[in-house]
Amino acid sequence: QVQLQESGPGLVKPSETLSLTCAVSGYSISSGYYWGWVRQPPGQGLDWIVSFYHSGSTFYNPSLKSRVTVLVDTSKNQFSLNLTSVTAADTAIYYCVRLLTVTLIRGPFDYWGQGTLVTVSS
Amino acid sequence: DIQMTQSPSTLSASVGDRVTITCRASQSLGGWLAWYQQKPGKAPKLLMYKVSTLLGGVPSRFSGSGSGTEFTLTISSLQPDDFATYYCQHYNSYPVTFGPGTKVEIK
């Protein structure tokens, strides 16, 4: 059973960098599939942030691309999200996700972490 | 970017009702559309993809249809466990985007 678990600070100051890690169990990241991050501002809808393959192919939401970095650690079977220069608008629940099928480079997400709330406030 | 809309934004219904949610895209999706269910405090759950392909374990009372730019999610007989918010998502191209959601409430 594939499981994803987000971790990271729940509070980040404006202008600083939001850093989250997603630990994956039950499947090796390096074996395939695209992985990614989706966020949800409190009480609002879902926003896709980024999708990537372990070997380097990465797709970004254009609205966030200049501020987003993804790091993959296959030895620990985890990946990280860095979002720089955060503002209150980045306050959201952040989910790590996996694409449904190994054959698609984009698609629906069938595995989701439980989500972690990150608040941007001084 | 492809913009997604959903209607209605909120739907009040009773157990046993037939419920239909509409999702519209700003351009043709080629069938690359998925539906999710989200309950309060939980991550979204993928219900179906490619318009109408149900994931394993999803009750058959859920069905999807549509083509081009207009799609529907139908619950044939609403059950207590179905009260939730439903989102459509296109994956025709990057950036993938979600609809704003439809909340199904108890009438």
Side-chain angles (χ1 to χ4, degrees):
Chain A
Q1 175 74 350
V2 179
Q3 292 187 317
L4 293 78
Q5 177 69 56
E6 305 91 349
S7 62
L11 182 65
V12 181
K13 289 182 168 55
S15 80
E16 295 190 344
T17 297
L18 179 161
S19 296
L20 297 173
T21 296
C22 179
V24 179
S25 59
Y27 190 84
S28 172
I29 295 173
S30 57
S31 293
Y33 289 91
Y34 272 74
W35 306 78
W37 292 91
V38 173
R39 71 181 183 179
Q40 184 172 35
Q44 298 185 40
L46 301 161
D47 295 319
W48 168 74
I49 301 171
V50 63
S51 295
F52 67 91
Y53 196 73
H54 68 89
S55 60
S57 173
T58 305
F59 298 92
Y60 300 91
N61 187 321
S63 67
L64 297 168
K65 183 176 181 179
S66 63
R67 299 194 291 131
V68 169
T69 303
V70 173
L71 300 173
V72 182
D73 187 339
T74 54
S75 67
K76 294 182 178 180
N77 210 36
Q78 64 186 35
F79 55 93
S80 300
L81 171 73
N82 282 350
L83 180 65
T84 62
S85 305
V86 296
T87 69
D90 296 308
T91 294
I93 299 170
Y94 286 77
Y95 296 99
C96 52
V97 296
R98 193 190 80 170
L99 251 70
L100 173 64
T101 66
V102 69
T103 56
L104 291 178
I105 63 170
R106 58 183 183 272
F109 308 110
D110 62 339
Y111 285 101
W112 296 64
Q114 66 184 25
T116 187
L117 175 63
V118 179
T119 301
V120 178
S121 175
S122 55
Chain B
D1 300 0
I2 297 175
Q3 309 303 315
M4 307 297 291
T5 61
Q6 287 182 236
S7 59
S9 56
T10 305
L11 187 160
S12 296
S14 301
V15 172
D17 284 354
R18 180 182 181 87
V19 166
T20 298
I21 299 169
T22 299
C23 174
R24 292 184 176 88
S26 59
Q27 62 189 73
S28 179
L29 299 184
W32 303 113
L33 183 98
W35 289 96
Y36 297 83
Q37 176 193 68
Q38 186 178 33
K39 296 182 179 179
K42 300 293 187 182
K45 172 188 175 183
L46 180 63
L47 296 177
M48 68 185 76
Y49 61 99
K50 205 68 166 65
V51 180
S52 60
T53 302
L54 264 65
L55 262 72
V58 175
S60 60
R61 62 181 180 271
F62 289 91
S63 64
S65 64
S67 64
T69 62
E70 187 162 328
F71 304 88
T72 59
L73 169 69
T74 298
I75 308 173
S76 60
S77 178
L78 197 66
Q79 298 302 301
D81 191 49
D82 302 338
F83 291 97
T85 300
Y86 294 84
Y87 295 94
C88 60
Q89 178 214 353
H90 91 81
Y91 51 104
N92 179 72
S93 59
Y94 278 118
V96 300
T97 53
F98 296 84
T102 294
K103 185 176 183 179
V104 178
E105 297 182 327
I106 300 173
K107 190 173 185 179

